[in-house]
């Protein structure tokens, strides 16, 4: 089974359990240093990671990559698919060069208890709609 994002899993689970799930879409971004393009070859080869030792921005880039993928270095390195380390580094470097960051689209999800009254659900829905308007205005 292909990996799914958390928001997709939550949405499906709420549907299966008969729970109301409101969503507020929002955009954010992961910012890497501008030097990520120059570090591509070092990041591809763990034998050269010692070269990152005194470069805090490069280390932050590497930690951000690991956070973003939720995968171990060994797993990333062994993966020769488009989700593997080499392709990931190229993708990140190209996006940072083109956009200055990696844009992310996500959802704030609010799950309402089955025990909530119709009145409470309506109040929550009104609050969610107000939040959506505010997020869209940003």
């Amino acid at each position: 089974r292909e990996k799914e994002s958390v928001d997709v899993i939550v949405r499906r689970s709420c549907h299966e359990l008969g729970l109301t799930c409101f969503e507020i879409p929002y955009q954010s971004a992961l910012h890497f240093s501008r030097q990520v393009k120059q570090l591509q070859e070092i990041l591809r080869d763990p034998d050269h990671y010692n070269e990152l030792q005194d470069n805090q921005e490069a280390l932050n880039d590497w930690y951000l990559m690991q956070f973003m993928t939720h995968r171990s270095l060994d797993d990333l390195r062994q993966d020769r698919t488009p989700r593997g380390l080499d392709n990931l580094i190229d993708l990140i470097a190209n996006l940072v060069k083109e956009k200055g960051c990696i844009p992310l689209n996500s959802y704030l999800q609010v799950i309402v208890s089955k025990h909530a009254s119709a009145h409470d659900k309506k109040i929550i829905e009104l609050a969610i709609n107000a939040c959506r308007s505010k997020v869209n205005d940003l």
Side-chain angles (χ1 to χ4, degrees):
R1 184 177 195 178
E2 188 159 327
K3 291 185 179 184
E4 297 177 321
S5 65
V6 172
D7 57 315
V8 170
I9 293 168
V10 169
R11 188 179 305 124
R12 183 181 60 244
S13 296
C14 285
H15 177 75
E16 290 170 358
L17 295 170
L19 295 171
T20 302
C21 178
F22 293 105
E23 296 182 329
I24 303 171
Y26 67 92
Q27 293 181 328
S28 61
L30 291 177
H31 294 274
F32 288 81
S33 71
R34 289 282 178 191
Q35 66 178 328
V36 74
K37 186 79 174 161
Q38 292 79 32
L39 297 171
Q40 279 180 282
E41 295 313 311
I42 294 172
L43 293 172
R44 287 181 208 286
D45 186 358
D47 292 336
H48 291 278
Y49 284 178
N50 62 326
E51 296 174 38
L52 303 176
Q53 186 173 328
D54 296 324
N55 187 335
Q56 191 59 51
E57 280 189 331
L59 287 171
N60 288 342
D61 287 345
W62 177 238
Y63 298 144
L64 194 52
M65 274 188 233
Q66 287 185 302
F67 168 78
M68 188 176 87
T69 61
H70 302 286
R71 296 173 67 194
S72 71
L73 172 60
D74 288 338
D75 186 37
L76 283 170
R77 197 175 56 229
Q78 292 172 12
D79 187 346
R80 297 293 173 214
T81 72
R83 296 186 61 221
L85 183 63
D86 287 340
N87 290 322
L88 176 67
I89 290 169
D90 291 340
L91 174 69
I92 290 170
N94 290 335
L95 279 170
V96 169
K97 181 180 177 186
E98 179 185 329
K99 299 181 183 230
C101 64
I102 296 180
L104 301 172
N105 296 313
S106 194
Y107 296 91
L108 171 66
Q109 294 175 306
V110 178
I111 302 165
V112 182
S113 168
K114 282 184 178 182
H115 304 294
S117 68
H119 174 62
D120 288 345
K121 286 182 182 178
K122 188 63 179 170
I123 290 172
I124 293 168
E125 184 176 16
L126 290 171
I128 294 295
N129 288 335
C131 289
R132 281 187 191 127
S133 294
K134 296 272 186 201
V135 168
N136 290 335
D137 291 343
L138 295 178

